[in-house]
Amino acid sequence: NRFSPWAENLYPVLEVTYLGDFSGINQTSLIPELLYAPNDTVNLKSGLTFGAGDGNKLGGQAEIDFFF
């Protein structure tokens, strides 16, 4: 979910992910992020990962998204 901007082109984001098959491997992650969108074609994201279940319990990530 992308929320209202804190400043021009800077958005707080909250992402929830699930990876698994509901029986053997199950990992749920909560990822609070900051999104910087300088224009309509590029997004820059960075955030922390808080996991539960199998897999990583704490981590970080960075992304660059290009749209065309």
Side-chain angles (χ1 to χ4, degrees), residues 5-46:
W6 285 348
E8 187 174 339
N9 301 326
L10 185 64
Y11 299 88
V13 175
L14 186 60
E15 189 173 332
V16 177
T17 63
Y18 172 78
L19 173 64
D21 58 8
F22 298 109
S23 63
I25 297 173
N26 295 293
Q27 180 177 359
T28 305
S29 298
L30 178 68
I31 309 167
E33 300 171 323
L34 279 178
L35 168 69
Y36 176 64
N39 55 46
D40 291 340
T41 59
V42 177
N43 285 342
L44 306 170
K45 285 197 292 186
S46 64

